[in-house]
């Protein structure tokens, strides 16, 4: 029976934190607010663009409808026009993907990043068709940690959640996998720490991408 890995994108496959910080700070400036340090964004990302921007505004107690609307327009325009700004794949990820494909494991991406930005980033950093399926945040589908995206991928790939490993760097990712009935793997090279991953019930925690191979061959 086939197996599948579903990966989170930001903080798992790619380091986009400098880009997120850059464009969010430009958006903050557009409403007269100062920048937030990049490290703080580790705890603001993971739940989608709108939640990120609300957290930025709440940082200054300025989360009004007017500020949010202005920030959203500026952030989305900037990011959409330069989706790979200061963004790179983590070391060892391309080799991991090649090995998974070699042993017959399907590889997919499920991200809370807007769908067009997620697909564009994956295609440009890893090459078109390297992944079997890439899904970002789309209208009508609840974002992670709801299991909707996992179920959609499983249905389209014809592989059950029980034969699926969900890989991510935050509590949102671990809860997504748990909610779908998948095996969950937390990664330590991303934006959050081991404590968060353990507290949210990660089945395994890894420090290097290559460690995933033994895990998926063992389930």
């Amino acid at each position: 029976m086939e197996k599948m890995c579903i990966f989170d994108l930001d903080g798992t496959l790619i380091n986009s934190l400098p880009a997120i910080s850059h464009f969010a700070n430009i958006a903050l400036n557009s409403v007269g607010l100062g920048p937030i340090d990049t490290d703080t964004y580790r705890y603001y990302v993971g739940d989608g663009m709108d939640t990120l921007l609300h957290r930025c505004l709440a940082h200054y107690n300025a989360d009004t409808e007017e500020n949010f609307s202005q920030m959203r327009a500026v952030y989305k325009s900037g990011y959409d026009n330069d989706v790979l700004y200061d963004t790179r794949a983590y070391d060892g990820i391309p080799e991991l993907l090649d090995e998974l494909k070699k042993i017959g494991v399907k590889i997919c991406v499920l991200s809370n990043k807007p769908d067009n930005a997620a697909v564009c980033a994956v295609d440009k950093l890893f090459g078109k068709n390297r992944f079997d399926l890439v899904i970002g945040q789309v209208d009508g589908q609840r974002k992670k940690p709801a299991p909707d995206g996992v179920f959609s991928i499983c249905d389209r790939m014809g592989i059950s959640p029980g034969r699926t490993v969900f890989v991510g760097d935050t509590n949102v990712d671990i809860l997504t996998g748990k909610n779908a009935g998948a095996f969950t793997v937390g990664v330590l090279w991303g934006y959050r720490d081991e404590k968060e991953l353990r507290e949210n019930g990660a089945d395994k925690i890894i420090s290097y991408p290559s460690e995933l191979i033994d895990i998926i061959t063992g389930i």
Side-chain angles (χ1 to χ4, degrees), residues 2 8 47 63-64 67-68 86 92 110 117-118 128 132 136-138 141 144 162 165 183-184 189 211:
E2 285 188 307
D8 167 55
D47 293 283
D63 192 5
T64 66
N67 282 345
F68 173 76
D86 206 0
L110 178 63
K128 286 191 175 184
D132 295 289
Q137 188 176 345
V138 294
Q141 178 176 284
K144 299 182 297 183
V165 175
F183 190 91
T184 57
W189 56 81
E211 295 177 74

Side-chain angles (χ1 to χ4, degrees), residues 20-37 41 44 52-63 67-68 70-72 74-75:
I20 292 169
S21 170
H22 172 75
F23 290 114
N25 283 338
I26 289 174
L28 282 167
N29 183 66
S30 76
V31 295
L33 299 172
I36 297 172
D37 66 279
Y41 281 100
Y44 286 2
L52 164 69
L53 299 179
H54 281 303
R55 287 170 177 164
C56 289
L57 288 168
H59 185 93
Y60 290 104
N61 195 29
D63 192 5
N67 282 345
F68 173 76
Q70 170 69 12
M71 269 196 77
R72 193 180 195 279
V74 172
Y75 180 87

Side-chain angles (χ1 to χ4, degrees), residues 30-198:
S30 76
V31 295
L33 299 172
I36 297 172
D37 66 279
T38 299
D39 200 57
T40 298
Y41 281 100
R42 291 179 179 274
Y43 303 96
Y44 286 2
V45 300
D47 293 283
M49 176 180 64
D50 288 354
T51 301
L52 164 69
L53 299 179
H54 281 303
R55 287 170 177 164
C56 289
L57 288 168
H59 185 93
Y60 290 104
N61 195 29
D63 192 5
T64 66
E65 184 176 341
E66 181 180 1
N67 282 345
F68 173 76
S69 180
Q70 170 69 12
M71 269 196 77
R72 193 180 195 279
V74 172
Y75 180 87
K76 192 172 188 309
S77 175
Y79 211 123
D80 285 352
N81 287 329
D82 195 3
V83 72
L84 292 187
Y85 175 88
D86 206 0
T87 296
R88 63 173 181 83
Y90 284 109
D91 291 344
I93 292 296
E95 295 82 0
L96 168 64
L97 300 178
D98 288 345
E99 183 62 23
L100 288 171
K101 295 288 275 188
K102 186 198 283 190
I103 63 176
V105 176
K106 299 296 185 183
I107 53 174
C108 303
V109 174
L110 178 63
S111 175
N112 277 341
K113 186 190 287 293
D115 187 66
N116 63 321
V119 172
C120 181
V122 168
D123 285 351
K124 289 186 176 181
L125 286 171
F126 300 105
K128 286 191 175 184
N129 303 317
R130 192 161 193 176
F131 285 87
D132 295 289
L133 186 61
V134 178
I135 296 179
Q137 188 176 345
V138 294
D139 292 339
Q141 178 176 284
R142 292 184 299 168
K143 65 184 181 179
K144 299 182 297 183
D148 303 35
V150 176
F151 292 151
S152 177
I153 291 172
C154 287
D155 285 346
R156 291 168 68 175
M157 298 303 298
I159 300 174
S160 71
R163 302 287 291 175
T164 298
V165 175
F166 196 96
V167 185
D169 68 307
T170 72
N171 62 324
V172 172
D173 300 313
I174 301 306
L175 292 173
T176 301
K178 291 287 184 187
N179 289 338
F183 190 91
T184 57
V185 176
V187 307
L188 295 180
W189 56 81
Y191 303 157
R192 305 287 176 80
D193 59 20
E194 183 173 357
K195 181 174 181 290
E196 176 173 310
L197 298 172
R198 290 199 182 282

